[in-house]
């Protein structure tokens, strides 16, 4: 009888224990607060963005294009998360962020920072042929459940400069090598403004792997990630990605989330989600 009770308890709690070591990550260009977006302006969709994030409950997520009031709203709506990042225009609060959010109760922050995608990454700057300053924000997190460390880099490449996009990819790989001296697992996410066959993605794939290609289950959702708020047109342009480095994390599922409400997307990009396992 005692042996039977032990077996019942073991099988009841074993799935939960394993699930604790799973890790959900998400990247999301939330579109900056532009009053000119009309029916798709931030005040009309911000509750949808927050509700979507609450529902999928990623352990770590990165956003692109968010302005400080947008990030503060998300922090209010998602109090279980800590936020890291600075504005690209002054290294403080001005301009768009490539911010990272992570669950406070699961992770301990070991290191963090932001660098500019330019020839002078340590100071506020615009690089190569880019139209705008661009940044990459990173964290090193201690996963208290898995008892392992994890590096996450979140970025937004320039939409104009071809050289800037390629050099930005080279710079991120260089920064990973410099920071991650212990060869711990790395996640690189963001809006790369480059499709799979273009040079910046080829550069990244020299040392990283696309989570979509690694997924054990067939990828879910459309192949494209940029919808331009055009709800009635196919989403075909893929420019948002989650990449991995190292063999410590296995990709269980990959999805592009095409959630909508009353004929409107919550952003002009679809978020990309990956469920991982240590």
């Amino acid at each position: 009888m005692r042996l039977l009770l032990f077996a019942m308890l073991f099988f009841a709690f074993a799935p939960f224990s394993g699930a604790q070591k799973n890790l959900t990550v998400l990247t999301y260009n939330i579109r900056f607060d532009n009053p000119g977006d009309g029916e798709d302006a931030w005040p009309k969709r911000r509750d949808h963005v927050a509700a979507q994030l609450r529902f999928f409950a990623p352990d770590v997520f990165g956003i692109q294009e968010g302005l400080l009031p947008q990030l503060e709203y998300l922090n209010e709506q998602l109090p279980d998360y800590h936020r890291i990042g600075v504005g690209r225009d002054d290294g403080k609060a001005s301009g768009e962020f490539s911010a990272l959010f992570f669950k406070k109760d699961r992770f301990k922050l070991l290191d963090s920072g932001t660098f500019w995608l330019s020839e002078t990454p340590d100071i506020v700057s615009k690089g190569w042929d880019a139209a705008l300053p661009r940044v990459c924000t990173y964290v090193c997190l201690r996963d208290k459940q898995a008892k392992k460390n994890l590096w996450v880099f979140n970025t937004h490449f320039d939409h104009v400069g071809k050289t800037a996009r390629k050099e930005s990819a080279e710079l991120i790989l260089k920064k990973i090598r410099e920071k991650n001296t212990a060869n711990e697992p790395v996640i690189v996410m963001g809006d790369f403004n480059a499709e799979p066959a273009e040079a910046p993605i080829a550069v990244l794939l020299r040392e990283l792997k696309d989570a979509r290609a690694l997924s054990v289950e067939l990828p879910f959702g459309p192949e494209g990630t940029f919808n331009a708020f055009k709800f009635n047109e196919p989403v075909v342009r893929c420019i948002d990605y989650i990449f991995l480095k190292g063999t410590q994390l296995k990709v269980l599922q990959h999805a592009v989330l095409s959630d909508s409400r009353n004929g409107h997307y919550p952003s002009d990009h679809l978020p990309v989600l990956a469920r991982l396992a240590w």
Side-chain angles (χ1 to χ4, degrees):
M1 184 68 179
R2 186 177 298 173
L3 184 61
L4 178 61
L5 178 60
F6 174 80
M8 291 171 64
L9 289 170
F10 175 81
F11 286 109
F13 285 97
F16 177 75
S17 176
Q20 282 186 317
K21 292 186 180 179
N22 289 353
L23 183 70
T24 300
V25 298
L26 179 146
T27 181
Y28 204 166
N29 183 324
I30 64 169
R31 174 69 172 173
F32 75 100
D33 184 0
N34 177 17
D37 286 339
E39 290 300 309
D40 294 306
W42 176 250
K44 296 188 177 183
R45 58 186 176 84
R46 66 179 192 170
D47 63 321
H48 193 186
V49 171
Q52 188 182 36
L53 289 167
R54 276 195 301 270
F55 181 83
F56 287 101
D59 297 293
V60 181
F61 68 90
I63 65 93
Q64 302 86 41
E65 287 198 20
L67 302 173
L68 184 58
Q70 293 177 280
L71 303 187
E72 290 174 339
Y73 173 80
L74 291 179
N75 274 130
E76 291 170 3
Q77 297 295 309
L78 303 163
D80 295 336
Y81 292 85
H82 183 69
R83 184 185 85 233
I84 293 291
V86 298
R88 69 188 187 187
D89 291 353
D90 63 356
K92 296 177 183 177
S94 179
E96 296 177 8
F97 288 61
S98 290
L100 281 161
F101 293 73
F102 59 88
K103 286 186 175 177
K104 299 174 185 176
D105 63 347
R106 176 159 185 175
F107 301 100
K108 177 182 178 182
L109 180 64
L110 302 180
D111 191 11
S112 67
T114 296
F115 57 89
W116 276 257
L117 303 180
S118 76
E119 301 92 326
T120 53
D122 296 329
I123 62 173
V124 178
S125 50
K126 184 172 67 173
W128 303 287
D129 58 348
L132 298 165
R134 300 288 181 172
V135 295
C136 179
T137 293
Y138 65 89
V139 293
C140 181
L141 302 173
R142 178 69 174 176
D143 186 338
K144 292 182 282 188
Q145 292 179 5
K147 297 180 172 57
K148 299 180 190 232
N149 294 347
L150 171 70
W151 290 86
V152 186
F153 291 74
N154 177 43
T155 193
H156 186 185
F157 284 7
D158 197 67
H159 65 301
V160 173
K162 289 185 178 181
T163 299
R165 288 194 291 273
K166 184 174 182 295
E167 293 297 332
S168 295
E170 297 279 8
L171 178 61
I172 286 176
L173 294 180
K174 178 184 175 184
K175 288 291 185 179
I176 291 172
R177 292 191 295 269
E178 290 176 358
K179 299 289 181 183
N180 184 28
T181 56
N183 292 320
E184 291 164 332
V186 178
I187 296 171
V188 180
M189 61 173 67
D191 172 1
F192 295 86
N193 271 312
E195 297 189 52
E198 295 184 299
I201 306 305
V203 169
L204 293 169
L205 290 177
R206 293 204 312 253
E207 299 183 28
L208 309 175
K209 293 183 178 179
D210 188 347
R212 182 185 183 94
L214 296 175
S215 181
V216 174
E217 289 191 17
L218 289 175
F220 178 79
E223 292 189 9
T225 63
F226 179 64
N227 63 65
F229 287 127
K230 296 178 180 178
F231 183 74
N232 294 314
E233 296 184 12
V235 183
V236 296
R237 189 177 177 216
C238 178
I239 57 176
D240 303 86
Y241 305 83
I242 296 172
F243 297 103
L244 279 75
K245 183 173 185 178
T247 58
Q248 299 97 320
L249 287 169
K250 179 179 183 179
V251 183
L252 303 178
Q253 296 175 309
H254 180 282
V256 176
L257 307 177
S258 56
D259 304 294
S260 63
R261 182 177 66 185
N262 300 325
H264 292 270
Y265 291 119
S267 177
D268 64 341
H269 287 244
L270 305 178
V272 180
L273 177 147
R275 291 201 171 104
L276 316 173
W278 287 104

